[in-house]
Amino acid sequence: MPGKLVSELQDLFGDLRGPAKALIVVLIGMAFAWMQINHQWAEALVLVLVAIVAGYLFELIGTLFLPKEPRAGLLFLEGWVLGPAAIAAFVSGLIVVLAIDLTPPKDTDPATEELMKTLAAGLSAFLSAAFVSWIGEQDNTRISNRIRDQFYKKYKRATVYPPPNNGVMYFTPGSRGETAVYSSIQIGGWNFADRWARASKLSAEIATGNSIPKSQDEIDAALP
């Protein structure tokens, strides 16, 4: 019943994850703007630094869960986004400050006023494109690519038996475990929904052990 309710709400309102992220960044950005306006630059930068360190710590914990616990690992890997989110919020606040500081006085001549407006718009567009674009949840964002690469490091195709004991899980070629990580047909990409679908499939395959090779003959038979 809860799943049905969530599905119905998504049909009514759409996927609100992306807009919710944008709203959070804007709200935190307003707090950073207030701090910057009140000359609390050092405090604001310390908060950003703390968020970046926390993000990398979450990512490190996530890698410790891989490869045996993909869903738990993914939960912590998602925390890396704290760093880019803090930077995006800080830059959002900076855009507000720039908009205020570059507002031309009333007695400014038209040419100078237009130049200042163009400069403010250009800086805002650059900062937004460079630092705030992470909030999209499409494929090939910084967070999706980073998590994808972490999974690629921890799950690989077996070519020899027994596989190396190096903290990597090796799957039989073409098995469900391998396709859960590498297939772009069964699961489209590495956006938020897709990577959680991949982690769920991986967890099921690891639990059954069906994708783990048991002999060199099994690997050789599966290789093209």
Side-chain angles (χ1 to χ4, degrees):
M1 183 64 181
K4 175 68 173 176
L5 178 60
V6 170
S7 177
E8 289 297 329
L9 290 175
Q10 287 181 339
D11 288 342
L12 284 171
F13 299 104
D15 192 345
L16 298 178
R17 285 191 298 262
K21 284 183 180 180
L23 177 61
I24 292 171
V25 168
V26 168
L27 292 176
I28 299 176
M30 293 303 99
F32 276 126
W34 181 87
M35 295 177 72
Q36 293 165 18
I37 290 170
N38 287 276
H39 307 291
Q40 296 178 355
W41 288 89
E43 292 88 340
L45 290 173
V46 167
L47 289 175
V48 173
L49 181 61
V50 168
I52 292 173
V53 172
Y56 278 102
L57 180 60
F58 278 125
E59 183 181 56
L60 175 61
I61 296 172
T63 60
L64 296 178
F65 278 100
L66 298 178
K68 294 184 178 179
E69 299 288 341
R71 284 184 293 188
L74 179 56
L75 179 64
F76 283 97
L77 289 174
E78 297 281 3
W80 179 80
V81 81
L82 285 175
I87 295 172
F90 181 86
V91 171
S92 294
L94 182 60
I95 290 172
V96 174
V97 174
L98 285 173
I100 294 173
D101 290 345
L102 293 177
T103 300
K106 293 182 179 179
D107 57 349
T108 304
D109 64 272
T112 303
E113 180 179 358
E114 190 62 32
L115 285 173
M116 293 179 69
K117 287 182 178 178
T118 302
L119 176 61
L123 288 173
S124 297
F126 166 75
L127 292 172
S128 180
F131 297 101
V132 190
S133 61
W134 72 272
I135 58 177
E137 252 311 324
Q138 295 79 26
D139 293 324
N140 299 319
T141 59
R142 279 182 287 170
I143 180 67
S144 66
N145 288 348
R146 194 173 185 91
I147 291 176
R148 178 201 63 198
D149 292 343
Q150 291 292 348
F151 272 69
Y152 283 0
K153 291 177 184 177
K154 293 294 184 176
Y155 303 99
K156 295 183 181 294
R157 167 176 286 195
T159 57
V160 295
Y161 187 89
N165 185 15
N166 56 359
V168 174
M169 184 170 291
Y170 289 89
F171 292 125
T172 304
S175 64
R176 292 183 179 180
E178 184 185 47
T179 56
V181 179
Y182 290 96
S183 175
S184 59
I185 298 175
Q186 295 183 11
I187 303 175
W190 283 90
N191 60 48
F192 183 86
D194 286 347
R195 57 184 176 257
W196 277 98
R198 292 180 187 275
S200 296
K201 287 182 177 293
L202 271 174
S203 295
E205 285 304 306
I206 292 170
T208 63
N210 293 333
S211 294
I212 308 299
K214 300 172 179 62
S215 68
Q216 185 66 49
D217 289 340
E218 182 181 354
I219 295 173
D220 292 341
L223 286 171

